[in-house]
Amino acid sequence: RVRVVTTSGEPLADAVVALISANPAAVPRVAVTDARGVVTFSDIPSGSLQLVASAGGFVISSMRLG
């Protein structure tokens, strides 16, 4: 479960969030946040992952997981 917020802490609805595996053969998982800025991914692959969030008018943000 991921929550995307603005720099002021407000939830960011309709942001596109991609979960990208370090494995080049794996298909990235992409979802859109709800009104609370939340998106949930299930069956997350193990290993190193990168989380990328983007929305119109905002700087793209990324975070490495694992």
Side-chain angles (χ1 to χ4, degrees):
R1 183 174 161 182
V2 176
R3 183 167 187 243
V4 180
V5 296
T6 64
T7 54
S8 63
E10 297 298 316
L12 189 54
D14 300 322
V16 177
V17 180
L19 187 61
I20 304 165
S21 173
N23 177 353
V27 176
R29 297 183 182 177
V30 179
V32 177
T33 58
D34 63 16
R36 298 179 325 261
V38 175
V39 65
T40 302
F41 292 99
S42 59
D43 300 324
I44 297 173
S46 61
S48 182
L49 300 167
Q50 182 173 11
L51 187 68
V52 179
S54 62
F58 292 89
V59 174
I60 295 173
S61 182
S62 67
M63 174 186 292
R64 184 135 332 254
L65 307 171

